[in-house]
Amino acid sequence: MKSKKNTIHHLEKIGAIAGILSIIFYLLAVLPFIPDYLSRLLGFTFPLFWIIAFMGLYSFLKKEYHTSTLEIAYLFGIIGAAIACSFIVVQQANFIWHTTAMEATHSEEAKSLLKASFKGANRVQAGLDVTFDIFISISWFLFGINIAKSSYFNKLLGWTGCLISASLLTLNMVTFPTAPAEADLIDLGPFLGLWALIVFIWFTRILFKNKNSTNGY
């Protein structure tokens, strides 16, 4: 039993650290001065860390309140992270193929055709991006409810996450299929990312400060 508890506790620690890394990678990947190859690596990696982070956070929260909303949050979070990895890979592959084709083409007519083809193909990853936002905003909304209920976190922190998540989902639905930022509205994705970073930093502090917490350790 003790070995099982230790294993779970290690998973939670790994998840907390993975959560911090996932958000840092997510924020760094969109910076314009980051080299393309490094930006791609960060983009491909952050959803994988996010899955591990959800595993750790879910494992911790369920020991205090094992709710149906927490189960849904966990499942939707993992699905959302998998979709994120998929659309980022598709997006970057499209960019590379388009750039390579444009460089190899000298005819203006051919370039116009390539641009039109790219625009159509790129809408696929844009749709997947919205799908990611749907799953991840619902996941964080429900995680926010459970974070607000937890005695280890802060109610304001939890409800703030719910507000940002609900707003992100609403904006995506109002402007669909155009992204909110392209519709001259605010992109709440980075704000949700910063909120998640605070959550995982808080989570890490809990785990490393309270080794022998009332969670059974």
Side-chain angles (χ1 to χ4, degrees):
M1 178 66 71
K2 185 175 180 180
S3 176
K4 182 179 179 180
K5 288 180 179 178
N6 285 337
T7 300
I8 293 173
H9 193 48
H10 289 322
L11 172 62
E12 291 167 357
K13 285 185 174 181
I14 293 170
I17 294 171
I20 294 174
L21 291 175
S22 70
I23 304 302
I24 291 175
F25 283 15
Y26 162 72
L27 295 174
L28 287 176
V30 298
L31 294 178
F33 56 82
I34 298 292
D36 288 344
Y37 71 90
L38 183 56
S39 179
R40 284 194 293 270
L41 178 62
L42 294 171
F44 297 162
T45 304
F46 94 79
L48 307 181
F49 277 138
W50 220 340
I51 291 173
I52 300 170
F54 282 135
M55 292 173 67
L57 185 59
Y58 163 78
S59 175
F60 180 81
L61 289 173
K62 78 173 183 178
K63 287 181 291 189
E64 189 175 11
Y65 296 108
H66 194 177
T67 64
S68 57
T69 55
L70 183 60
E71 289 289 336
I72 297 170
Y74 175 53
L75 180 61
F76 275 36
I78 290 179
I79 293 173
I83 292 172
C85 190
S86 299
F87 93 73
I88 292 170
V89 170
V90 171
Q91 177 195 72
Q92 293 304 310
N94 280 341
F95 287 165
I96 293 172
W97 290 331
H98 177 65
T99 300
T100 302
M102 289 292 287
E103 290 174 349
T105 303
H106 302 290
S107 166
E108 290 301 321
E109 184 178 347
K111 286 184 177 181
S112 297
L113 182 59
L114 284 172
K115 288 178 181 178
S117 300
F118 172 74
K119 186 176 181 180
N122 198 46
R123 288 180 179 176
V124 174
Q125 67 86 14
L128 287 172
D129 192 0
V130 176
T131 307
F132 160 65
D133 284 339
I134 291 171
F135 275 93
I136 215 65
S137 57
I138 293 174
S139 173
W140 276 126
F141 179 85
L142 298 178
F143 264 120
I145 293 174
N146 286 273
I147 287 170
K149 290 173 59 177
S150 173
S151 61
Y152 292 93
F153 289 92
N154 179 278
K155 289 185 182 297
L156 180 60
L157 178 67
W159 294 124
T160 299
C162 291
L163 177 62
I164 297 173
S165 300
S167 300
L168 174 64
L169 181 60
T170 301
L171 287 175
N172 271 278
M173 295 301 97
V174 168
T175 64
F176 183 82
T178 305
E182 295 177 5
D184 296 325
L185 295 175
I186 189 170
D187 180 8
L188 291 176
F191 292 93
L192 183 59
L194 288 172
W195 174 83
L197 179 60
I198 294 172
V199 168
F200 287 121
I201 291 174
W202 195 310
F203 184 30
T204 302
R205 181 176 174 276
I206 292 171
L207 294 174
F208 285 89
K209 185 177 180 181
N210 303 314
K211 283 186 179 180
N212 301 312
S213 69
T214 55
N215 278 318
Y217 304 112

